[in-house]
Amino acid sequence: MELCYLKVNALDTLKSSLDKTFGKYLTERDNSWVNEVCGENPFVKFRDVPDFELAPLDEGLDIGEVDLRNSKILYRHLHFLTPRQAADERFWAGFCHGAFYDYVRRRWGYDKLDNLRGIDKDKTIKRIQNRFFFNGEARVELLTNTLSKYWWAGRVFPNEALDALGAKDFYRKIFSIATRSFIGNEKLRNGFVKFLRHFKDRGITLDRDEHILSAMIELNQSGGVIVLDCLTERDIAAIMIEHVGKIYRDGKFTITEIG
């Protein structure tokens, strides 16, 4: 598989012409139109990688399961990207318009559209900006691009942590967690992973709002009383586990159980 990124001029051209070309993303089944719009070959070869396939979209998988699997697959096969490269719009826009063009279209159901009747132009353009390019604030844009969000989810969380998050509502969980500033702190992140594993090992699925976000808020509030950097990963996990334990009110969850 040949991976290519977009030339700067091509990236600018594609983004600035969306008002006229948005329909091509919905109706064109191959990416030959990209060359036509740019007036040249818009791609620069980055490197070859062994062929691989992303999660199947035609086997009845829940979309959360598709996203969870893709987070593992894409990071495993593209782990060589540096954080700087993985934060460069040219790479992901290039991948979305190149090697993975067909997959990205199918991920969003564009392959099922035969015409543009009934399409809301403004909403469609906004979605294309998010899904095929970078759009929004710095940290947010990494998690809205279709492929970039998979890579970053795979980088931030080990596979077992992704499994602990679970497929249900997967993207909303990843977005809510990865946009928090604390996730950049290795100790806090590892403590959070311990928190997830604790419940995964006990066969308990955590709800995004009631459990995960609530525990994160509790941790943040604890930071106003104690210096979180002075705590161990186990201590950080304990704060969150005890908080969720109180929600369940069954006494099962104690600090001594934390791995």
Side-chain angles (χ1 to χ4, degrees):
M1 178 185 296
E2 182 177 281
L3 296 181
C4 299
Y5 61 89
L6 284 175
K7 299 175 182 176
V8 174
N9 289 342
L11 178 63
D12 292 341
T13 296
L14 288 170
K15 295 184 76 171
S16 64
S17 63
L18 281 175
D19 187 64
K20 297 179 180 178
T21 63
F22 74 96
K24 294 184 180 296
Y25 291 87
L26 279 59
T27 61
E28 297 297 321
R29 297 184 181 277
D30 67 65
N31 66 348
S32 59
W33 64 269
V34 176
N35 292 46
E36 297 171 6
V37 169
C38 295
E40 61 172 340
N41 177 6
F43 299 105
V44 176
K45 182 177 179 178
F46 173 51
R47 65 183 290 175
D48 291 314
V49 298
D51 289 342
F52 67 91
E53 294 183 358
L54 293 175
L57 298 170
D58 54 1
E59 295 184 3
L61 293 177
D62 178 87
I63 203 62
E65 180 64 30
V66 168
D67 287 346
L68 189 156
R69 290 190 187 188
N70 280 339
S71 296
K72 297 179 181 180
I73 294 170
L74 198 68
Y75 185 73
R76 182 170 72 248
H77 288 278
L78 303 184
H79 66 275
F80 52 80
L81 289 176
T82 66
R84 183 172 182 176
Q85 289 171 330
D88 190 328
E89 183 181 15
R90 294 174 302 164
F91 280 90
W92 297 115
F95 299 164
C96 286
H97 288 82
F100 298 98
Y101 173 77
D102 178 62
Y103 189 89
V104 174
R105 287 188 71 252
R106 290 189 295 113
R107 164 62 179 83
W108 299 109
Y110 295 164
D111 59 312
K112 296 179 174 60
L113 299 175
D114 295 321
N115 56 66
L116 302 180
R117 286 198 299 270
I119 295 296
D120 185 313
K121 180 179 178 179
D122 291 338
K123 287 185 179 179
T124 299
I125 289 176
K126 180 73 170 180
R127 288 167 179 163
I128 291 171
Q129 289 172 330
N130 288 336
R131 295 167 177 176
F132 285 81
F133 300 96
F134 277 4
N135 189 45
E137 298 177 1
R139 184 172 296 175
V140 170
E141 64 189 7
L142 298 177
L143 298 169
T144 54
N145 177 277
T146 304
L147 301 178
S148 172
K149 71 185 179 190
Y150 295 147
W151 191 93
W152 281 100
R155 177 178 173 80
V156 171
F157 297 109
N159 286 350
E160 57 268 30
L162 293 175
D163 289 334
L165 280 172
K168 182 181 178 181
D169 210 16
F170 179 76
Y171 174 64
R172 290 182 67 221
K173 291 176 184 174
I174 288 295
F175 187 87
S176 298
I177 296 165
T179 52
R180 303 273 175 148
S181 58
F182 89 87
I183 210 66
N185 181 305
E186 184 176 6
K187 184 193 295 185
L188 295 179
R189 183 170 66 249
N190 290 343
F192 180 75
V193 170
K194 284 181 179 293
F195 157 71
L196 293 176
R197 286 174 178 161
H198 180 86
F199 291 100
K200 173 67 175 179
D201 291 345
R202 289 156 179 77
I204 297 171
T205 299
L206 298 178
D207 178 77
R208 184 190 80 115
D209 295 324
E210 183 180 8
H211 303 136
I212 296 176
L213 294 187
S214 177
M216 291 168 65
I217 291 172
E218 176 69 15
L219 181 65
N220 185 60
Q221 291 176 341
S222 297
V225 180
I226 54 178
V227 180
L228 296 180
D229 279 343
C230 294
L231 301 179
T232 66
E233 294 173 3
R234 185 174 178 276
D235 293 332
I236 291 163
I239 291 172
M240 304 179 80
I241 290 169
E242 287 185 339
H243 177 74
V244 174
K246 290 176 183 177
I247 295 174
Y248 276 98
R249 297 184 183 281
D250 61 3
K252 286 195 304 182
F253 313 119
T254 65
I255 297 178
T256 58
E257 292 179 310
I258 303 170

